[in-house]
Amino acid sequence: LSSTGFGWQSLLHTDAPLSSSLQAALFTTYDCADERLLVEHLLPIFLRLSREPDGEGAERQYFLLELDSRLKQLHGRLIIVSSTARDEPQGTGEAESGAYGWVWRSIRHLTVGSRGKAVQHAKLWLLHWGAADTDGDERLEIVVSSTNLTRAAFKGQMQAAWRTCLKLHPQPSQKRLADWGVLPNFLRELAASAGDNERLDQFVNLLARADRPQGVTFVASVPGTHSRQVLRRTPWGTARLHEIAPLGHGKAHVAILTPFVGLWDPAGIRNWCARFGGAPDRIAMVWIDKNHPWAGKWFLPDATLKTLLELDATLLKLRYEPGDCDETDFFHEEQHPADDRWSHAKVYSFTRGTSRRLLVTSANFSPAAWGRQNEQGELTIENFELGACIEQATWPFNDLESFDRPQNAATVPELPTRGSALIMWAKAAWDGNKVEVNCRCHADRVIDGTLKNGGELASIVNWTVGADGCLRSAVVPWTDSKRPPLLVTLACENETISVPIFDERPWREREDTLPPEVDENAAQMMRDELLFEQYGGHVAADDNGAAPTDSDGKLDEVDEASGPTGPDSYSVPAFALARRHLDVVDNWADQAKRTVTQKTGELERQLLVHDGELLIEAFRRQAKRDGQKGEAWAIGAKLAAEELTLRLKHFQER
Amino acid sequence: MLPIESLGLSANQWQFLSYPEKYVEASKRSGRPLVLETTERQFLTARDILTRLNGSKGQETRRGLLLADDVGLGKTTVAALVAWIVASAGEKRGVRVLAPNDVMMRRWVEELRSHVEPLQKCATHLGVHANRVKEGRVGRLKAGSIQVVKHSYAAKGDILKCDLLIVDEAHRAKGDGTAFSNALKRQKRHARRVLILTATPFSIRLEELQRMLTLVGGEAAHSPVRSFSRALDDLYSGSTARDPEVVAERLATKAKAAVEALSSFVIRHGIDDLPREQKSFGLRAEWNIDVQPARPEELELLMRMDRALRVAKHDTSESSRATNDPRFHVGWRHFDAVRHSMKNETPRYSEPTRAVIEHQLKAIQGLRAEVGIQPKIAAVATAVESVITQEEKVVLFCDHHATAQELTAHLDSVLPKMAPLQSLPPHAWKAAWDVVLEPSADGSDTEALRDTFVKWLCTALVRAQTSSWLPTGTTLSSLADALTITNGRHPRGPESIAAAAQHLYHVLIQSRSSRAVLLWASKYGLEILPGANGRSRVLGVCQPSEDEKEESLFLHNQQPDTVIAIFNSPFGPDVLVVTDRLSEGIDLHRYCRHLIHYELDPSTIRTVQRNGRLRRVNSWAAATGQPIRYAYPAFCGTRDHRLVQIMKKRIDSFSLLLGGVQDFDVEEVEGSDEKWRNEVIKTAKASLETVGRQLRASEQ
């Protein structure tokens, strides 16, 4: 199920070459993304940060600043789409992750539901990697899985995932785009539901530049009631099943492994099976008994079990016997008895004859995911779901035995309800002058809002109500950049949601806003060092200080008495320092040259210009810092700033 | 390989070497007086060599030996004595000497001839005669003759059959495949014995040392020598994270094994291991020349040029120019030359490189207008002035021609000119010199040569110098007498002014090239003679600059014999600016005890060789009882200072490591690594000192 090992971080890696850097990314998740997971695990890997988050003192500060810097570079190009999450009453999540709430200033957080009720349940990652040094190719990495962006999903659950990393063609092509099947439209629908129609077009464009991997078919669901006509054009949900089951004569079989089974009636199951040429009695569902430790995690309504049994579906038992490996069925050859993770994987194995296809998806075996068909043939789907169907010869559960006593299967009388969300969608952004809040709420309900930044900043009082009575919007003047607003809390009756505020100020203004944990006094110097480091300068570190200078600041006093704090090079420190600074300029210039020769993307060009401007300022500051030891020390940084100004001007004029 | 035939010598034939006092006494009349303490050691060395080569006193007969004494200890003297004895004793034999170049060849001839008179007195049984010394090509080497030829003579393919082949400066023959190297391999078969005079053993490349050992039949030493050589490599290139004591012990152990294996084939004395002789070499004293540290604008100039060159190099990869050229740190002349050529080259660079270079050159132009004389040149000029006003001579070494040119020109512009006394007109001087200057004893001079030499003695500078040494009140009538009783430059100088002139004349007419120079001067004018043109007290022995106004400041021929001879007299230029062409095998010590390393070569041995020009037997320092002063001025704040810092440390350990001190790139040397190395050497010092002494000559 996972080809890269079985650790909780198995999914947190990339197949892109080391020299390529992330240009943009889309992550979809059901649960609201856990900021701590993002900051401490996911972003360090995908942003290729050079520091660990668990450092102390200056190392920790460098980590935060490096992350902040990379996020600012990719401002708005990292997008996370989730369902609208209501705050838990105890609020532990916020308390734990709140320290990292500042990441939402740069990461665009979208929720679905702007046009009506919708659940975002797909787990899709699209990672756009810039040109690698090795081959000059950009890449698109696609991950389809069952994994939410929460620590629980990574650390407490087992997931199934499919991953590919594709080289991008320089130009998009409609033909290539069409070959991706439902995936482009899935992205468009997702964007529309998030109230930001064109936001995901950049990813659609990437699909148009990539060749779909052979043998891979995407299966997607989008919320709504879809007519036959629509389904012919865009076969959402079950409408797509006939394209993924193996072709051939005879009934197709399906084996299902999902931790959640919805409430099905017999007709619904028959219809579902009919879509791929199967039949209920060819369903083999992997399940657990009441004693299985996952019993509280996997949900199967009593009624559905009854229906399945009546339809002669097979229930395969995933055995569990404490302390007895022989009597326990493991998910994976590397799984061990002490592993208390439960399966959150959603996998379907379709077989016809000897042909087998495997669907790795976010979709549980439920009508909400696959759709419920009415008599007119319309399909009503509640969730956004996405799966990738691939050729796969093996299915690890072939040897499971049927339940002797199906009544021992772990079931629940009723499925937990999602409740009816009063606030269905919301977004907030600050442009430096005002915070604009938009949300969708039940028409006849009163909504309260508060602007926050750790503490309370302002109440939102003047709401504008849209024509349908549901869409609400408010504008709160806010210009205080020393206390930038972090989130909006919206309350409707007993329901409260937190909406991160995206920072839409110009980049120059954004630059000065730091993560709250960072020491403001030291931040500027550390940021400068990190910037130098990014362009091949010395690795910024706690003790980096003035190396390669002498401890007493003299230019070249070297003697036995200088001790361990003395210079470590017989080359002249002021010269060494100058070369070090100018090496940074060279690296910037090399990248600029590569941008021109390889015709890499506009983003790289923008980043180079942006970094060039920052570097010039950083070198000017560095000259002042170096100059504290003597006038000669400042020459190197001065020359670097001077030359970079010249080079940047030239670069921008090309 | 031929069997080791007997040389047929008898120890009685060199018995006179056991009585150096008599020889020293005899040498006083030869024009080259010897010093007893040094002669004792040189005679001991000669006895040891002869004993080993002849297999006397129960010694196993050696095919050859390496004489690797420190610079200045008189290897040539020892080898010349051995040559005379081998050539002249009993049945007589043929000896050939291979010298690296013309200058050295002439020096060999001079050395051999200087022994004729003392040998005639102290070793009559040898029957030596000056005409036995054959300079250059000979038809057939007769028994009893000593032929002196250049290395290149051997490489031409002549069979150098002889009884003793002396190869001087053998380490100069670089590379296994060179013609000279191949020739030596061939000659090995035709020479019954080989005596190799070379630099400190481990200052030579391992392969060359091994080749030399092979030539003298010392193959057995290859393995321990290689092993010690690796230990030295390890000291300079290995990990410095190791315990210095462990490395020191290993180094000492390997050194001991190497020396034990070498002791059969190598004789070596370190100059610092000869306390009895220190006085005759001259004591050493620090000479600090304070140079104003580099100012920010000077550093900025250097950094901008470094940057401009780096950018240019990055753009085309064609430029072979050093970006942080060492010349930039010791003068502006080469800096400006590069600046001008870069300016002309800018159109060939692509953008934005062109814009960056043009920007840097413009900034450099502005800064150059701000900075004045190069501070190191200015400081050195001040120091030189203070020395020459005390009647001292100074030699300044440079690593590059451009630096030497700039230094020479600046010194000439600032040093005070000398004016001759009006009371003693030129004709009075001519009359006096005609009186005191005797014709050459061997009849090798001519009237024309002598007249020319006297005219030179009467030129403005020499008259001014000479009159400054004479007692106050010297008159026209007392001038000749005054010249014969007054010493030049210092009351304790080795000879009177007249004797010095006589000696100089003798040396000049003995040298083929100097005779040619005198002859040319007699026909076309004295300007070719150092010091004859104007009143300049400075002479640059380097590639002359292209500036016509500086023409008279430089030597314009490739034969520096005349310059060296004059510098070794009290007359002529007080200041000699030279490149390393004069750092090996040349004597500059007879009237000079001041040496300034204006520009170092990163090779430690080169620096040691430079110092060896002054620290020699019969030095001016020994004669006047004043110390030899070596100065290592440094332009603080630049790589020049770093180079000096490292070099001074490395020179200190040169002899201790038997010359195994490696060259370095100043920008690659880590301070902490160098400190670690010094710690290793310090720890191993006592052992290494003991080991090194095992190579000294002994009474077999």
Side-chain angles (χ1 to χ4, degrees):
Chain A
L1 296 175
S2 171
S3 61
T4 56
F6 202 58
W8 75 268
Q9 288 173 307
S10 300
L11 204 56
L12 295 177
H13 91 280
T14 172
D15 290 336
L18 199 60
S19 60
S20 55
S21 58
L22 194 66
Q23 307 288 290
L26 168 69
F27 300 91
T28 67
T29 172
Y30 169 68
D31 296 309
C32 200
D34 176 347
E35 293 133 0
R36 194 167 151 196
L37 173 83
L38 295 181
V39 170
E40 295 183 359
H41 303 293
L42 186 136
L43 292 173
I45 287 168
F46 292 137
L47 299 182
R48 302 203 193 277
L49 302 188
S50 53
R51 285 170 182 76
E52 300 289 334
D54 50 3
E56 291 181 358
E59 184 61 18
R60 167 81 175 165
Q61 301 267 306
Y62 279 118
F63 165 77
L64 293 170
L65 284 168
E66 189 183 9
L67 172 61
D68 183 51
S69 166
R70 287 290 289 133
L71 287 176
K72 280 172 177 160
Q73 283 178 343
L74 294 175
H75 184 80
R77 299 181 71 91
L78 302 184
I79 300 168
I80 295 178
V81 186
S82 72
S83 289
T84 305
R86 286 161 295 284
D87 292 349
E88 297 295 330
Q90 60 269 38
T92 51
E94 187 190 352
E96 201 171 350
S97 290
Y100 299 129
W102 51 271
V103 298
W104 300 116
R105 291 191 181 120
S106 300
I107 300 175
R108 197 177 284 278
H109 181 243
L110 304 177
T111 56
V112 294
S114 72
R115 297 186 304 186
K117 189 180 173 187
V119 174
Q120 202 310 108
H121 197 254
K123 283 83 176 173
L124 167 68
W125 297 357
L126 293 176
L127 305 161
H128 177 200
W129 295 99
D133 287 348
T134 45
D135 54 14
D137 287 325
E138 294 177 68
R139 285 172 171 77
L140 174 64
E141 190 165 23
I142 306 173
V143 180
V144 174
S145 77
S146 55
T147 318
N148 285 306
L149 289 180
T150 62
R151 274 168 294 155
F154 280 83
K155 293 187 173 182
Q157 300 166 9
M158 287 179 286
Q159 312 285 0
W162 169 84
R163 176 195 295 274
T164 189
C165 192
L166 307 167
K167 287 188 178 180
L168 292 174
H169 295 274
Q171 297 299 325
S173 138
Q174 282 305 313
K175 189 180 172 194
R176 272 196 294 273
L177 186 62
D179 193 45
W180 284 93
V182 295
L183 189 54
N185 273 340
F186 169 82
L187 293 173
R188 292 188 187 108
E189 290 290 336
L190 193 65
S193 181
D196 205 342
N197 286 357
E198 293 163 8
R199 184 59 59 191
L200 304 184
D201 284 356
Q202 58 179 311
F203 297 101
V204 175
N205 190 50
L206 291 177
L207 292 175
R209 292 173 57 196
D211 294 317
R212 178 178 58 87
Q214 269 198 328
V216 177
T217 312
F218 292 91
V219 181
S221 300
V222 301
T225 297
H226 309 289
S227 66
R228 283 174 189 272
Q229 196 176 7
V230 168
L231 291 173
R232 271 199 294 277
R233 201 170 53 246
T234 46
W236 303 122
T238 55
R240 183 72 163 172
L241 283 176
H242 73 279
E243 290 187 40
I244 63 168
L247 297 173
H249 301 292
K251 295 285 184 191
H253 291 248
V254 63
I256 301 171
L257 173 77
T258 65
F260 183 97
V261 178
L263 193 58
W264 290 98
D265 57 26
I269 292 179
R270 282 195 198 94
N271 277 337
W272 190 82
C273 291
R275 290 285 186 174
F276 61 88
D281 60 353
R282 307 293 170 94
I283 291 175
M285 194 163 76
V286 178
W287 204 251
I288 54 174
D289 68 19
K290 290 184 168 61
N291 299 321
H292 199 284
W294 301 350
K297 311 289 186 186
W298 282 29
F299 294 97
L300 171 63
D302 290 334
T304 302
L305 175 63
K306 187 168 177 249
T307 303
L308 285 167
L309 294 176
E310 285 172 358
L311 294 172
D312 288 333
T314 305
L315 211 58
L316 299 173
K317 184 180 176 186
L318 197 66
R319 297 172 304 157
Y320 175 78
E321 191 62 46
D324 189 345
C325 292
D326 293 335
E327 293 299 314
T328 301
D329 295 309
F330 291 111
F331 248 50
H332 191 283
E333 58 191 16
E334 290 179 33
Q335 192 184 2
H336 53 83
D339 190 343
D340 61 356
R341 292 178 296 173
W342 60 278
S343 170
H344 188 253
K346 299 115 183 3
V347 194
Y348 299 74
S349 173
F350 297 93
T351 55
R352 182 177 268 130
T354 55
S355 301
R356 186 186 300 280
R357 300 204 80 200
L358 188 76
L359 176 65
V360 177
T361 177
S362 60
N364 284 309
F365 185 51
S366 72
W370 290 103
R372 196 183 302 275
Q373 191 177 320
N374 64 17
E375 291 172 354
Q376 287 76 45
E378 292 173 327
L379 192 65
T380 301
I381 300 174
E382 294 179 29
N383 301 352
F384 282 99
E385 306 278 6
L386 185 70
C389 190
I390 55 174
E391 302 284 349
Q392 174 124 343
T394 58
W395 173 248
F397 308 109
N398 277 339
D399 297 332
L400 296 187
E401 293 176 5
S402 306
F403 271 83
D404 291 338
R405 295 164 57 81
Q407 59 270 37
N408 284 345
T411 56
V412 290
E414 287 183 1
L415 289 171
T417 58
R418 285 173 175 161
S420 59
L422 297 172
I423 307 169
M424 292 163 277
W425 166 82
K427 70 173 184 180
W430 177 48
D431 65 2
N433 296 311
K434 61 186 184 304
V435 176
E436 192 170 337
V437 184
N438 293 283
C439 67
R440 185 177 181 84
C441 179
H442 275 257
D444 51 350
R445 310 295 169 94
V446 175
I447 194 161
D448 292 322
T450 310
L451 215 58
K452 288 186 172 177
N453 175 1
E456 212 165 281
L457 298 177
S459 295
I460 304 169
V461 287
N462 296 318
W463 288 99
T464 303
V465 183
D468 64 352
C470 296
L471 283 174
R472 317 284 178 93
S473 60
V475 173
V476 185
W478 192 264
T479 56
D480 186 356
S481 59
K482 297 283 181 197
R483 293 187 300 155
L486 194 62
L487 57 90
V488 170
T489 57
L490 298 176
C492 184
E493 297 183 357
N494 296 328
E495 185 181 307
T496 304
I497 66 165
S498 295
V499 185
I501 299 172
F502 188 72
D503 191 343
E504 289 186 336
R505 288 178 294 164
W507 75 267
R508 279 277 175 199
E509 294 175 37
R510 291 199 308 269
E511 280 299 320
D512 295 331
T513 303
L514 297 172
E517 200 182 325
V518 169
D519 176 359
E520 282 183 29
N521 295 322
Q524 190 60 70
M525 190 180 80
M526 295 170 100
R527 286 165 70 183
D528 290 350
E529 287 173 355
L530 285 168
L531 191 61
F532 298 149
E533 177 190 312
Q534 189 187 331
Y535 285 91
H538 269 209
V539 174
D542 195 11
D543 57 352
N544 203 24
T549 67
D550 297 335
S551 56
D552 58 3
K554 288 181 188 170
L555 279 177
D556 58 358
E557 286 294 320
V558 181
D559 54 45
E560 298 288 333
S562 61
T565 57
D568 200 34
S569 168
Y570 271 98
S571 60
V572 178
F575 279 71
L577 187 64
R579 281 194 178 171
R580 198 168 89 183
H581 292 326
L582 289 162
D583 281 347
V584 171
V585 177
D586 284 338
N587 283 324
W588 183 92
D590 285 344
Q591 288 193 30
K593 194 174 178 183
R594 201 162 54 239
T595 305
V596 173
T597 54
Q598 295 186 344
K599 294 185 169 48
T600 48
E602 181 58 24
L603 176 67
E604 274 122 325
R605 194 179 165 79
Q606 284 172 10
L607 284 178
L608 272 172
V609 171
H610 181 187
D611 285 351
E613 289 171 3
L614 291 179
L615 278 167
I616 291 166
E617 291 170 10
F619 276 126
R620 285 178 183 147
R621 286 187 290 268
Q622 190 63 38
K624 284 183 186 167
R625 288 192 284 266
D626 291 344
Q628 288 169 2
K629 295 190 274 316
E631 205 179 328
W633 290 99
I635 298 169
K638 186 182 88 172
L639 297 190
E642 197 179 286
E643 184 176 323
L644 201 50
T645 306
L646 200 68
R647 287 184 180 277
L648 183 62
K649 182 169 173 276
H650 188 269
F651 183 65
Q652 287 175 304
E653 286 171 354
R654 288 187 77 133
Chain B
M1 183 185 290
L2 293 172
I4 305 182
E5 296 174 40
S6 168
L7 273 176
L9 289 165
S10 159
N12 293 335
Q13 289 163 330
W14 62 79
Q15 187 68 32
F16 73 96
L17 293 176
S18 300
Y19 306 102
E21 300 86 350
K22 192 178 170 190
Y23 199 89
V24 168
E25 192 58 34
S27 73
K28 286 178 183 168
R29 288 180 294 279
S30 71
R32 234 193 52 162
L34 299 174
V35 176
L36 180 60
E37 291 83 357
T38 301
T39 307
E40 281 176 348
R41 190 250 312 150
Q42 289 171 330
F43 275 25
L44 174 65
T45 308
R47 291 200 302 272
D48 194 354
I49 291 170
L50 288 163
T51 303
R52 295 200 211 187
L53 291 180
N54 194 50
S56 303
K57 298 184 181 177
Q59 279 286 307
E60 182 191 345
T61 307
R62 317 290 204 288
R63 180 171 294 283
L65 287 172
L66 260 64
L67 179 58
D69 282 348
D70 268 356
V71 177
L73 294 187
K75 289 192 285 282
T76 317
T77 301
V78 173
L81 282 166
V82 171
W84 274 123
I85 292 165
V86 171
S88 311
E91 296 293 313
K92 303 195 185 307
R93 288 149 211 89
V95 176
R96 293 186 203 264
V97 178
L98 299 179
N101 52 40
D102 286 324
V103 174
M104 296 292 288
M105 201 173 90
R106 289 192 286 274
R107 201 184 143 205
W108 262 98
V109 171
E110 188 188 331
E111 177 72 43
L112 285 162
R113 286 178 179 160
S114 75
H115 288 281
V116 171
E117 197 175 328
L119 283 173
Q120 284 170 345
K121 287 197 168 58
C122 303
T124 49
H125 62 284
L126 295 178
V128 302
H129 194 276
N131 63 10
R132 289 293 181 183
V133 180
K134 309 293 180 188
E135 189 175 359
R137 181 174 288 278
V138 289
R140 182 172 165 272
L141 184 66
K142 291 179 183 166
S145 296
I146 304 170
Q147 183 201 17
V148 183
V149 286
K150 284 195 287 184
H151 285 183
S152 55
Y153 181 86
K156 282 174 186 164
D158 297 86
I159 300 295
L160 298 184
K161 189 169 182 182
C162 61
D163 295 291
L164 174 63
L165 179 69
I166 297 175
V167 187
D168 191 14
E169 306 274 357
H171 57 278
R172 288 194 182 191
K174 305 276 185 204
D176 194 16
T178 61
F180 180 60
S181 178
N182 291 332
L184 284 184
K185 278 184 201 166
R186 283 199 307 274
Q187 300 307 338
K188 182 188 167 186
R189 295 200 299 273
H190 302 290
R192 291 169 71 195
R193 297 291 185 277
V194 180
L195 176 60
I196 294 177
L197 276 51
T198 186
T200 318
F202 289 89
S203 66
I204 305 159
R205 287 198 311 125
L206 175 64
E207 297 76 15
E208 288 160 20
L209 179 58
Q210 302 278 47
R211 264 200 300 281
M212 284 189 235
L213 285 169
T214 304
L215 284 176
V216 299
E219 291 91 340
H222 280 188
S223 176
V225 160
R226 190 184 306 111
S227 189
F228 180 51
S229 179
R230 281 182 187 154
L232 288 167
D233 287 344
D234 183 53
L235 174 67
Y236 287 99
S237 312
S239 165
T240 56
R242 294 169 294 169
D243 183 348
E245 286 194 19
V246 174
V247 179
E249 191 182 340
R250 182 172 176 269
L251 189 70
T253 305
K254 301 282 182 191
K256 187 167 182 284
V259 165
E260 279 172 3
L262 285 172
S263 61
S264 209
F265 308 97
V266 177
I267 295 175
R268 167 184 153 70
H269 299 88
I271 197 163
D272 293 324
D273 296 334
L274 305 168
R276 287 182 64 237
E277 295 182 48
Q278 295 301 321
K279 208 175 160 189
S280 62
F281 299 133
L283 301 173
R284 284 179 296 177
E286 278 283 307
W287 184 13
N288 288 321
I289 297 177
D290 289 329
V291 181
Q292 178 192 311
R295 292 173 296 153
E297 53 268 38
E298 286 154 351
L299 290 172
E300 187 172 334
L301 264 177
L302 296 173
M303 289 187 208
R304 284 189 183 278
M305 180 58 87
D306 178 50
R307 183 58 185 167
L309 288 166
R310 275 175 176 253
V311 170
K313 205 169 199 168
H314 191 68
D315 187 63
T316 64
S317 305
E318 286 172 11
S319 174
S320 57
R321 287 196 189 105
T323 59
N324 193 16
D325 194 310
R327 284 170 282 190
F328 298 162
H329 297 243
V330 291
W332 295 131
R333 186 170 283 202
H334 182 66
F335 184 95
D336 289 336
V338 171
R339 178 163 63 101
H340 290 306
S341 62
M342 279 200 85
K343 194 173 178 183
N344 296 332
E345 290 164 6
T346 43
R348 78 182 208 209
Y349 297 112
S350 59
E351 290 291 5
T353 302
R354 189 189 309 165
V356 171
I357 293 173
E358 282 173 348
H359 172 80
Q360 292 294 8
L361 291 177
K362 193 177 171 191
I364 286 170
Q365 190 177 5
L367 284 164
R368 274 295 282 123
E370 284 179 33
V371 302
I373 303 293
Q374 217 278 352
K376 184 168 172 176
I377 286 193
V380 165
T382 305
V384 168
E385 184 181 345
S386 74
V387 167
I388 64 169
T389 52
Q390 295 168 45
E391 298 296 349
E392 294 282 355
K393 287 194 171 192
V394 189
V395 59
L396 297 99
F397 273 95
C398 295
D399 192 31
H400 296 93
H401 292 292
T403 312
Q405 290 165 4
E406 185 174 5
L407 185 60
T408 303
H410 181 73
L411 287 170
D412 176 63
S413 70
V414 298
L415 293 181
K417 303 290 186 279
M418 292 189 83
L421 283 176
Q422 295 298 320
S423 58
L424 294 172
H427 65 83
W429 286 96
K430 181 169 185 324
W433 283 119
D434 281 340
V435 170
V436 299
L437 207 60
E438 295 172 11
S440 171
D442 59 6
S444 56
D445 65 341
T446 65
E447 197 171 335
L449 296 179
R450 194 163 176 279
D451 279 353
T452 307
F453 183 64
V454 170
K455 278 181 189 167
W456 177 75
L457 287 171
C458 296
T459 54
L461 176 67
V462 181
R463 274 190 293 130
Q465 286 176 323
T466 313
S467 55
S468 72
W469 307 326
L470 294 173
T472 314
T474 302
T475 60
L476 292 174
S477 58
S478 63
L479 182 55
D481 287 341
L483 290 173
T484 55
I485 59 168
T486 310
N487 287 355
R489 291 192 177 259
H490 196 283
R492 288 165 62 186
E495 57 205 345
S496 68
I497 299 169
Q502 187 73 55
H503 181 249
L504 173 60
Y505 180 56
H506 176 74
V507 171
L508 291 175
I509 61 173
Q510 290 297 322
S511 158
R512 192 181 294 167
S513 73
S514 295
R515 283 172 67 91
V517 168
L518 281 175
L519 202 58
W520 197 95
S522 70
K523 290 178 182 170
Y524 305 108
L526 294 176
E527 289 77 9
I528 193 172
L529 288 168
N533 188 357
R535 292 177 296 159
S536 176
R537 303 172 76 172
V538 185
L539 182 70
V541 184
C542 59
Q543 192 177 299
S545 79
E546 292 174 3
D547 188 339
E548 284 183 12
K549 285 180 282 186
E550 295 175 355
E551 192 180 355
S552 65
L553 300 178
F554 300 99
L555 178 70
H556 286 270
N557 62 62
Q558 293 302 306
Q559 301 294 339
D561 289 30
T562 312
V563 173
I564 294 163
I566 290 174
F567 196 72
N568 272 320
S569 78
F571 313 106
D574 296 314
V575 182
L576 207 57
V577 179
V578 300
T579 60
D580 280 309
R581 197 177 153 217
L582 294 195
S583 70
E584 276 190 73
I586 305 283
D587 290 353
L588 298 171
H589 64 295
R590 284 176 55 81
Y591 275 87
C592 178
R593 63 181 182 89
H594 288 87
L595 186 152
I596 299 176
H597 292 279
Y598 185 80
E599 189 190 19
L600 285 170
D601 179 304
S603 159
T604 313
I605 187 170
R606 184 78 77 189
T607 309
V608 170
Q609 291 277 9
R610 287 179 178 181
N611 288 342
R613 300 311 100 215
L614 298 193
R615 202 177 178 203
R616 308 180 82 83
V617 180
N618 288 329
S619 69
W620 176 247
T624 60
Q626 298 176 99
I628 296 170
R629 299 172 82 198
Y630 297 124
Y632 298 83
F635 190 25
C636 294
T638 74
R639 59 168 285 159
D640 181 57
H641 191 200
R642 294 293 192 213
L643 185 57
V644 169
Q645 286 174 315
I646 303 169
M647 185 61 77
K648 285 170 89 172
K649 286 279 184 193
R650 294 211 174 184
I651 286 173
D652 287 346
S653 53
F654 183 82
S655 191
L656 201 62
L657 295 175
L658 300 171
V661 179
Q662 297 188 349
D663 298 351
F664 57 91
D665 178 343
V666 70
E667 297 197 39
E668 299 295 325
V669 179
E670 295 289 326
S672 57
D673 291 351
E674 196 68 359
K675 198 176 165 191
W676 177 87
R677 279 179 210 115
N678 292 333
E679 181 68 27
V680 171
I681 294 166
K682 192 175 158 192
T683 308
K685 188 175 180 183
S687 305
L688 291 171
E689 279 174 343
T690 310
V691 164
R693 285 195 281 266
Q694 289 178 29
L695 293 175
R696 295 168 64 170
S698 62
E699 206 70 70
Q700 299 293 344

